[in-house]
Amino acid sequence: MITLHKEETLKNEILHVLNEAKKKKHPIIFSYVTKVAQTDPLQIFSIFASLHKGKRFFWSTPEQNFILCGVGTEMTLTNDQDSVHRFYTIEAIWNEWKHYTHVFGQKDYGSGPMLFGGFSFDPKKENKSSKWSEFSSARFHLPCLMVTKHDEEMYLTINKIVHRDDKLEELFQHFESYQNMFKRNYIPYKEKNPSQQDKKIYYQEKWLQTVQKATELIKANRFEKVVLAREVLLSFDQPIPINLVLNKLKKTLSTSYLFAFEVGKKCFVGATPERLVKKKGKQVFSTCLAGSIKRGKNKIEDDLLGEQLLRDPKNLLEHEIVVRMIKNAFEKCCDEVETKDSPTLLKTQNIQHLYTPIKGKIKNGFSLMDVVEKLHPTPALGGYPKKEALQFIRDEEPMERGWYAAPIGWIDLEDNGEFVVAIRSTLIDHRQAYLFAGCGIVQDSIPEEEWKETEIKLGPMLYALGGTKDE
């Protein structure tokens, strides 16, 4: 329960917002933020499943020092009509709402009103099935309730859109009820791991032929690199519990970002090692991640494989293309762009990558969405040059990417936020899960070796889902 002193203060704030809504003749986002005791955000994600099924999101940085868990949708912003300007349409709508927002309480980085969501990889790609129909070209949610873990502090945010005709007591009850729901000692439902019933591998021969065609076009100087992806469909004997998948990913992929975004009966889940862009104040950060090799069975073999990767011409070329493009994009939006001269290694559970960080100071007049728009898709997910590589993917890749390999993340009132590249991901639909993996194709790529690379990349998600690998 809200204490008497806080109750009167909160009611006075709500009354003030009601008067503002009447005065401005426009609804107002009222965001109540309070510091709370530490709890497990994944547990919050789990216990709100029955109340807000299909309206939850989860986000965690690799260090797990910044975690978001949102439930409910107080507001949804979508864009399917103007796919060309989808980044700026979402930004423009959010910027307009900033004039009609009131924050009350102990706001910190990552708390208060914020949008969580993402974009499709290529809105111009013709969709031939309905599996991505709920996931718009752009879709973002303002949650009803959100828990933020930032370092050693935890915050609870409760959002409500206040209309001028709303009643004071009903609005107060909204905030009180959500606080009570958060504080209640729920016992999470004990969900069972489902058993895999079937595994469908799509168009292997067609995919191999597409890789071969890509290498021939690269040798003919049509483009330098293209990324080709494929999908696998797993079927299980019962609905797939999202929180159990996230828990497994959290334990096995400690160097990755975790994300989950529910829309209706479907949930897009991933554990990606690749940051697209982070903006905190004026500082902007990105990650160049391209070129990969498997992990070794022991430290000696692992180190040898890592050294092999650092010297491999094919992978170094693939990585250099990505660094070049991201650096060029940063220089359009940022001053003081800094990067390393040569890559290092980023090791995940079953694969190691060539890795180069890059950072800059954003120029006046540029925003987080400006950087997202200029970076997506990087050569690590699309190819280079961008236009030619995208057209090849659009024409030749035999799968629908949907939100796979696209930006997913969050943005707040101050234009802080972070987006990752949605790889190592799966689209969960009740008892089915579509898994996706891709790899960069350059002129020396060998189709069968690229197929093996995608098998390695599918491994962690197969394990998290309780699936089985092919013998």
Side-chain angles (χ1 to χ4, degrees), residues 21 30 185 187 235 324 336 340 354 386 391 421 430 438 445:
F30 181 37
N185 291 319
I187 299 175
S235 300
R324 188 197 322 159
E336 304 172 19
K340 300 275 182 73
L354 294 176
K386 182 189 291 190
Q391 192 60 54
V421 180
H430 196 50
S445 293

Side-chain angles (χ1 to χ4, degrees), residues 290-291 307-321 354 442-445:
E307 288 299 317
Q308 179 184 330
L309 178 61
L310 287 167
R311 295 192 303 267
D312 181 65
K314 179 258 182 187
N315 281 290
L316 286 169
L317 172 62
E318 186 182 339
H319 187 79
E320 189 273 330
I321 292 170
L354 294 176
V442 292
Q443 65 178 11
D444 295 329
S445 293

Side-chain angles (χ1 to χ4, degrees), residues 275-279 282-288 322-339 357-363 366 368 370-372 374-375 378:
R275 170 195 284 160
L276 183 67
V277 59
K278 174 183 178 180
K279 181 176 177 291
K282 301 287 283 185
Q283 298 299 312
V284 186
F285 309 86
S286 187
T287 297
C288 307
V322 175
V323 174
R324 188 197 322 159
M325 179 271 183
I326 293 181
K327 186 177 179 183
N328 288 341
F330 260 53
E331 287 172 345
K332 294 174 184 176
C333 303
C334 300
D335 295 316
E336 304 172 19
V337 177
E338 298 178 26
T339 187
I358 186 168
K359 65 179 180 179
K361 183 178 179 183
I362 202 156
K363 295 177 182 177
F366 286 88
L368 175 59
D370 281 311
V371 186
V372 172
K374 284 178 173 52
L375 288 179
T378 72

